[in-house]
DNA sequence: CTGAAAGCGCTTACAG
DNA sequence: CTGAAAGCGCTTACAG
């Protein structure tokens, strides 16, 4: 390939200085219109490619925002990311995506990479067990951070997530109103705020109705479709099986329904199932999945917005914004207790 | 925050030169062990962060690899990416991910960003209608490119994908052997190599069995779960409905089965369905989905490997590697024609 | 409105 | 084994 074209190539070609070329290409009003047009045309003709590393070294802004979640293949995160992507795109920020798979060392390696690249910000759904110090390390090195989906005590940064306890209680209240008394909760762990809060919502809604949740109703663990499937198979064989189940997520619920079906039960007719998240698939699943709408669009938009605000120089907020979930009743919870 | 720590901060602290610090941190054998240890310790103590922009400006290697696919939420791509990620991780390459949603201008913007960042390479599943010139632009500007899943005529770069025509014929042959004579093909378009080749495989397998595919058996278009669902609803109402359907992808097939079920048919009992890709969900779907295993692991590994090879200085290959698919029979194709 | 010069933080010959 | 100096390609005061 030909010699690399840089600012000075254009400057030499036109007999102007690199300063003028630099300003012209960025549409500075300091440059005369005619000069600007000539410069831009020449840049195009020569196939000039802007060197962001050089610019960023000088300006110490990179135009890069890092996004790190448990797994982008999880449609819940995928849907949030779609909105984040859309916001960042509009502001011409490049986004770098990484999965941490709840592995703290992977998350740390990613944050380190962002620091090395001089990234402008980070949107993070923190891995299980992330200490507040990790967030402070990022912030302390000029990497503004916004949390999504999960929160960390004492991290001192802003975050956006659904009101998980409230949302799960909504689902359980509905089932109780439909006559169910034995309601299981499938999936999630105590190690994330999401898992804890949803289980707490389930438990407190039961108690409010003067039902004491039995230990075997809490099927802890599953967070994937596959784990949900296994739980469904096992659930079908339970003695004294609950008549309804709320699930940690739609993904778990969809797997759970596959498992129930595989074991010969018909979800929606033999047992009521409610998911959490309202991912797109919930509406077309058969039976369609009743679920708690968890505001992915709002989380994505607002998290990106909050980060862009900070990049624009506005003061950081430390607030965790709880987005209010709503219940979506479909066919999977038709069965009445 | 404190003054930024850089190489010269460490050098000053220890009374050595920045050259020595630079070499020491990269474990150069030129530096005495004792000096190296002292330098590394000081770097840690001061909280030094390596500035990759500066390094990359100097060395013109960035350690960044771009990956661009239609949609990371599509499990087929997601599974490939998992393997790509794994390979790149091992070689300490940072990967930047982007969706192009089959929008050529989004794809171009991403490639441009990579060029500006001085990325070392690109792994691309090209958007519908990508001209060979786009690939050559990347290559011409020192951005080695490897294609996955889809191929482009005359692009002159290496690529990895399944043998789509062969794979689809495998599925159709199986259905014919099971007694089916009327076999639909649901989803995919003529505008991607994938869509064309799979449809060609379906058509030629039918003809080999002396069955002339009827136009209404080819349900073109659907490539998402949702579109598959709609196709399932419509399919159930067809006059003279085929007894079997092969689908463009598992995602389409799973949506299609949801649609059939919604319309009151039982996939696997009332109609045979076969998908394509063998994504993880295929095994737990109920009925479990018969499908064509499309080698995501191999595509991911080999594409990353080929790119890393080129980065290591090996000569480029222009070969398109066709990975041989295999048929996985499960319950969704139990029904016999 | 335009130019000359310094500097962002590294790495790499080169010299010793 | 270590140091002094140049240079990667930009942007930003500053001067005119």
């Amino acid at each position: 390939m030909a010699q690399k074209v840089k600012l000075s190539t254009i400057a030499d070609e036109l007999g102007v200085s690199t300063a003028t070329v630099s300003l012209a290409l960025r549409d500075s009003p300091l440059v005369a219109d005619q000069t600007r047009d000539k410069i831009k045309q020449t840049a195009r003709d020569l196939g000039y490619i802007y060197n962001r590393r050089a610019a960023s070294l000088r300006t110490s802004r990179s135009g890069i925002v890092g996004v790190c979640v448990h797994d982008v293949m999880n449609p819940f995160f995928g849907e949030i990311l779609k909105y984040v992507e859309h916001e960042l795109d509009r502001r011409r920020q490049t986004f770098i995506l990484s999965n941490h798979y709840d592995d703290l060392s992977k998350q740390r390696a990613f944050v380190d990479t962002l620091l090395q690249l001089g990234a402008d910000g980070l949107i993070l759904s923190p891995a299980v067990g992330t200490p507040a110090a990790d967030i402070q390390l990022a912030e302390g090195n000029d990497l503004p951070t916004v949390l999504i989906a999960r929160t960390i005590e004492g991290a001192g940064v802003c975050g956006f997530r659904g009101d998980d306890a409230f949302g799960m209680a909504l689902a359980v209240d509905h089932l109780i109103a439909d006559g169910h008394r034995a309601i299981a909760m499938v999936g999630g762990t105590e190690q994330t705020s999401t898992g804890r809060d949803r289980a707490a919502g389930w438990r407190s809604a039961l108690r409010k109705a003067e039902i004491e949740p039995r230990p075997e109703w809490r099927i802890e663990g599953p967070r994937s479709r596959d784990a949900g499937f296994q739980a469904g198979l096992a659930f079908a064989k339970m003695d004294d099986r609950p008549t309804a189940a709320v699930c940690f997520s739609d993904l778990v619920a969809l797997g759970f329904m596959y498992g129930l079906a595989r074991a010969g039960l018909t979800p929606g007719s033999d047992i009521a199932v409610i998911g959490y998240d309202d991912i797109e698939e919930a509406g077309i699943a058969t039976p369609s999945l009743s679920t708690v709408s968890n505001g992915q669009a709002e989380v994505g938009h607002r998290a990106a917005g909050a980060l862009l605000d900070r990049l624009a120089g506005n003061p950081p907020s430390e607030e965790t914004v709880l987005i209010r979930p709503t219940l979506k009743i479909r066919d999977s919870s038709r069965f009445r207790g």
Side-chain angles (χ1 to χ4, degrees), chain A:
Chain A
M1 129 186 173
Q3 199 57 33
K4 187 145 238 156
V5 178
K6 45 192 176 176
L7 280 192
S8 65
T9 318
I10 302 173
D12 291 350
E13 179 83 15
L14 294 173
V16 297
S17 73
T18 58
T20 303
V21 176
S22 171
L23 292 168
L25 290 179
R26 284 173 297 140
D27 286 318
S28 162
L30 288 174
V31 179
D33 285 4
Q34 209 193 342
T35 318
R36 177 168 34 71
D37 293 347
K38 220 168 48 185
I39 289 172
K40 287 195 157 185
Q41 186 57 51
T42 308
R44 262 194 300 277
D45 292 348
L46 297 177
Y48 171 67
I49 289 169
Y50 179 67
N51 186 326
R52 267 164 68 166
R53 293 172 284 183
S56 146
L57 182 56
R58 181 59 224 256
T59 62
S60 65
R61 274 202 94 164
S62 62
I64 290 175
V65 170
V67 180
C68 193
V69 299
H70 171 264
D71 186 354
V72 296
M73 273 176 69
N74 182 318
F76 169 68
F77 290 121
E79 290 178 11
I80 291 182
L81 292 186
K82 205 169 267 184
Y83 295 99
V84 169
E85 183 182 18
H86 182 249
E87 274 306 308
L88 294 180
D89 247 34
R90 291 199 318 137
R91 316 289 191 95
R92 328 212 113 280
Q93 295 273 328
T94 299
F95 90 73
I96 302 196
L97 200 54
S98 184
N99 300 313
H100 55 58
Y101 302 117
D102 273 328
D103 175 341
L104 219 46
S105 69
K106 277 193 75 101
Q107 177 177 293
R108 282 182 181 140
F110 182 66
V111 170
D112 206 47
T113 298
L114 291 179
L115 290 171
Q116 294 183 1
L117 290 171
D120 296 339
L122 168 62
I123 294 180
L124 177 69
S125 176
V128 166
T130 302
D134 279 26
I135 307 301
Q136 281 147 6
L137 174 79
E139 284 275 343
N141 284 291
D142 279 337
L143 185 66
T145 301
V146 171
L147 301 180
I148 53 174
R150 298 175 184 166
T151 325
I152 297 174
E153 283 293 314
V157 297
C158 82
F160 296 87
R161 60 184 188 86
D163 186 340
D164 292 308
F166 177 85
M168 194 50 99
L170 233 42
V172 173
D173 288 348
H174 173 85
L175 291 169
I176 291 172
D178 265 4
H180 293 279
R181 304 284 301 168
I183 303 171
M185 169 157 176
V186 180
T189 76
E190 286 296 310
Q191 295 174 81
T192 63
S193 61
T194 332
R196 277 192 303 275
D197 293 357
R198 290 183 193 170
W202 162 74
R203 203 169 283 116
S204 71
L206 285 174
R207 291 194 174 136
K208 208 181 58 192
E210 298 184 342
I211 301 168
E212 184 51 31
R214 295 205 209 148
E216 66 269 28
W217 294 353
R218 178 71 187 99
I219 300 161
E220 213 179 307
R223 290 195 289 143
S224 66
R225 196 190 290 263
D226 187 58
F229 174 74
Q230 305 299 342
L233 291 178
F235 188 88
K237 295 199 201 120
M238 269 175 90
D239 306 326
D240 204 6
R241 197 174 62 219
T243 57
V246 291
C247 296
F248 171 70
S249 68
D250 282 357
L251 213 53
V252 169
L254 292 163
F256 187 69
M257 295 204 298
Y258 277 149
L260 293 174
R262 190 68 67 87
L265 294 176
T266 305
S269 304
D270 298 333
I271 173 179
V273 177
I274 299 187
Y276 205 108
D277 289 339
D278 196 19
I279 63 175
E280 285 175 18
E281 186 182 342
I284 65 171
T286 301
S288 57
L289 180 64
S290 296
T291 186
V292 179
S293 179
N294 199 10
Q296 287 87 309
E298 193 170 351
V299 169
H301 268 126
R302 293 186 64 179
L307 186 61
L308 291 164
D309 260 14
R310 275 196 69 187
L311 300 191
N314 296 322
S317 144
E318 299 197 2
E319 193 189 1
T320 292
V321 177
L322 286 186
I323 286 155
R324 177 159 283 241
T326 56
L327 188 62
K328 285 250 169 95
I329 293 304
R330 299 199 180 96
D331 290 341
S332 65
S333 59
R334 243 174 0 202
F335 174 64
R336 302 173 72 95

